[in-house]
Amino acid sequence: MLSEISIHNFAIIEHLEVTFDEGLTVLTGETGAGKSIIIDAVQLLAGARGSQEFIRHGAKKAELEGMFTIDDEDHPVFQKLSEFGIECEDGSIILRRDLNANGKTTCRVNGKLVTIASLREIGSQLIDIHGQHDNQELMLEKRHIHLLDQFAGSSLAEAHRNYLDIYNQYTKLKRRLETATENEQQVAQRIDLYSFQLKEIDNAELVIGEEEELEEEKLKLQHFHRIFERLNTAYESISGDNHALDWVGSAMSDLEDAASIDKELASHSEVVSSSFYSLQDTAHELKSIIDRMEYDPTRLPIVEDRLAMLVSLKRKYGATIEDILIYREKIADDLDQLLNRDERLGQEQEKLAQLEKDLEVEANELSIIRQESALHLEKAIMQQLKELHMEKSTFKVSINRKASNSFDSHGFDDVVFLISTNLGEPLKPLVKIASGGELSRIMLALKTIFSKHQGITSIIFDEVDTGVSGRVAQAIADKIAMIATHSQVLCISHLPQVAAMADHHLLIRKEVKENRTTTAVAEIADMDRTKELSRMLSGAEITTLTLQHADELLTMADERKISFRN
């Protein structure tokens, strides 16, 4: 439910914080006090369009923030939050929206920046706002099949899951076949291309690590003479007459003789002896390397050509030899599929045909359940309309089959809610209903039924009772109170019958502070509530009779609410 809303510099509201509770909360007050402004703020939090005109005169921005608390762990809003990567702890969801004077809007959900579109998607799971002429979910024909399915309950939900399993396989295979059945010229071109690429890569006989070895060989070949010269010089320095080995050998003999007398010199003698023999071994190895070295002037061009070929392949097929070989495996598979496409397409066409037959069976099962549920829904709506004194109205759920082989995620049914409000008039779609009073009652009838199934956290009625009175007014009050037994309901009303049914009554009034008008909100009870109902009954003048009438309305309302909730 909507637990709290905070409003800063919005329209005539300078600063306002309102706490809401479960059940039915009615907002009353004189015309222009700011009741609808509060609802406008909630609408903007749910992603409605905003403009700089909402910003209070003289302020740089308007700030709106609302906190929702959700007890149901399976509520669909949590799935929506997960899709947007928004964390939610303890079932608390905070929506925030700032309107800036420069026209920019900033939206946040639980502190994370989101787009207005994302805010709207999340808000639609939390808030359902109805005005007298609003085209909300119940007025959108494309949503009628969802509402009927929700009304049908678990029996249809299970059948729909079975249908979706097949439908997802069907659509995936159908897309693959549509892609595969491209024209023959394109197929032939791809076969030629893959064949050429495969041959070019295979002819290269690539070896992983080869490029590094070739680079090392290239470097040695480019500096062959320099290496040969340095090796000879090093060998002569070690093994030549009166060079390193002679001097180290002499030092070794001297230290061995000294160490035979002074044992402390033994370690130094061993180091020099070890160095002598290491140098001797190195000299032999250098001599062997020098004897084997032979310059081949034809090898360097071969290495450079091979490296150039590898660079060319990498430019075409991958950043490394490993990438090229991975690409080679991919095009080999693609080529195999293209060469055997006729056989494979035939098999998949057969599979698609079988899936289509299975879809037909499952979609037919969905349609049967919908037809049965539609009869129950029609009966339930007709009863609600009768209680709203529209007994001459007729409500019908129209279920028609789509074109042949036309399936969507809901089957092959088109569902539209139709109504006739007077005897002798044809059934028409809900959107064709012209009378505001009739539309309000129809919306309440539908909402009374669907509020049990939709999972909306907060339902807001903005003066849906305009233009009605008497027994119709009491019927509307009863329906709004009945809806509040399943969802939190916030209602702006001018009807004392509706206000009397409230679980919480908020009085909205204007105040003037420092020559500026602002809006204040206070919850009223007991005698203050009786006075407010008396004002709504009589206008500005409150009399003993209107106070008695108001008190009687409250007593009757309490009795009616007890009967609803039992």
Side-chain angles (χ1 to χ4, degrees), residues 490-560:
L490 310 179
C491 179
I492 292 178
S493 179
H494 292 287
L495 288 178
Q497 293 93 331
V498 174
M501 299 296 287
D503 299 305
H504 314 282
H505 191 155
L506 300 181
L507 178 61
I508 317 298
R509 64 181 184 275
K510 284 183 180 179
E511 293 181 348
V512 177
K513 295 180 180 179
E514 300 177 358
N515 296 321
R516 289 294 302 272
T517 301
T518 188
T519 294
V521 178
E523 184 169 1
I524 57 174
D526 302 329
M527 193 58 196
D528 287 335
R529 192 174 176 203
T530 303
K531 289 180 180 179
E532 174 61 10
L533 261 66
S534 178
R535 181 195 65 78
M536 296 173 74
L537 284 164
S538 64
E541 186 177 353
I542 298 176
T543 66
T544 302
L545 184 60
T546 57
L547 286 170
Q548 290 176 350
H549 189 185
D551 193 55
E552 183 181 4
L553 263 180
L554 288 169
T555 301
M556 292 175 59
D558 289 339
E559 294 174 355
R560 298 174 82 88

Side-chain angles (χ1 to χ4, degrees), residues 276-312:
F276 175 81
Y277 294 117
S278 294
L279 276 173
Q280 193 174 55
D281 291 341
T282 300
H284 288 306
E285 290 175 6
L286 289 177
K287 179 60 176 172
S288 178
I289 292 171
I290 293 168
D291 290 342
R292 292 196 308 268
M293 287 184 71
E294 182 178 354
Y295 181 66
D296 182 0
T298 64
R299 179 58 184 166
L300 181 59
I302 294 173
V303 171
E304 290 178 333
D305 289 345
R306 179 69 176 176
L307 285 170
M309 183 268 291
L310 293 178
V311 169
S312 176

Side-chain angles (χ1 to χ4, degrees), residues 49-235:
R49 289 185 178 181
S51 70
Q52 301 98 306
E53 295 177 2
F54 283 112
I55 301 173
R56 181 174 168 83
H57 178 69
K60 294 182 179 180
K61 68 176 180 178
E63 302 172 29
L64 309 172
E65 193 167 52
M67 183 173 77
F68 295 79
T69 53
I70 314 296
D71 296 327
D72 182 7
E73 294 180 355
D74 297 323
H75 195 285
V77 72
F78 293 122
Q79 175 63 33
K80 188 63 65 177
L81 291 174
S82 178
E83 290 175 11
F84 292 118
I86 299 172
E87 296 182 358
C88 181
E89 296 181 1
D90 303 324
S92 296
I93 302 171
I94 298 176
L95 307 184
R96 180 182 175 91
R97 186 167 179 183
D98 296 344
L99 303 176
N100 296 284
N102 60 9
K104 293 183 179 180
T105 294
T106 304
C107 306
R108 287 182 173 86
V109 178
N110 283 356
K112 181 174 181 177
L113 282 170
V114 297
T115 63
I116 293 179
S118 300
L119 181 69
R120 189 178 300 120
E121 286 192 50
I122 295 169
S124 67
Q125 302 287 336
L126 299 171
I127 306 170
D128 190 10
I129 300 177
H130 291 272
Q132 187 179 6
H133 297 289
D134 286 341
N135 291 328
Q136 298 294 327
E137 183 179 33
L138 297 175
M139 299 296 289
L140 299 174
E141 289 186 359
K142 66 180 181 180
R143 295 293 300 166
H144 290 176
I145 192 167
H146 296 271
L147 295 170
L148 177 59
D149 288 359
Q150 288 171 351
F151 178 80
S154 59
S155 60
L156 189 135
E158 179 63 27
H160 190 228
R161 280 192 293 269
N162 295 335
Y163 172 84
L164 279 179
D165 286 342
I166 300 172
Y167 177 75
N168 290 333
Q169 296 178 54
Y170 173 80
T171 52
K172 184 177 180 180
L173 180 58
K174 189 174 182 180
R175 283 195 299 268
R176 191 162 68 241
L177 282 171
E178 288 172 351
T179 302
T181 53
E182 56 195 62
N183 67 60
E184 293 299 321
Q185 183 180 3
Q186 289 177 320
V187 171
Q189 289 173 347
R190 288 173 62 196
I191 289 174
D192 287 345
L193 175 62
Y194 292 161
S195 298
F196 170 80
Q197 291 178 338
L198 203 60
K199 184 178 180 181
E200 185 177 30
I201 295 172
D202 287 346
N203 286 344
E205 298 180 346
L206 299 175
V207 177
I208 294 175
E210 163 187 24
E211 188 174 16
E212 291 77 8
E213 293 178 0
L214 287 172
E215 289 289 355
E216 290 180 9
E217 185 180 0
K218 176 184 174 183
L219 186 63
K220 292 177 182 178
L221 289 169
Q222 288 175 329
H223 299 281
F224 178 86
H225 297 292
R226 179 180 173 184
I227 295 171
F228 184 80
E229 186 178 305
R230 294 295 183 270
L231 285 176
N232 272 298
T233 302
Y235 175 76

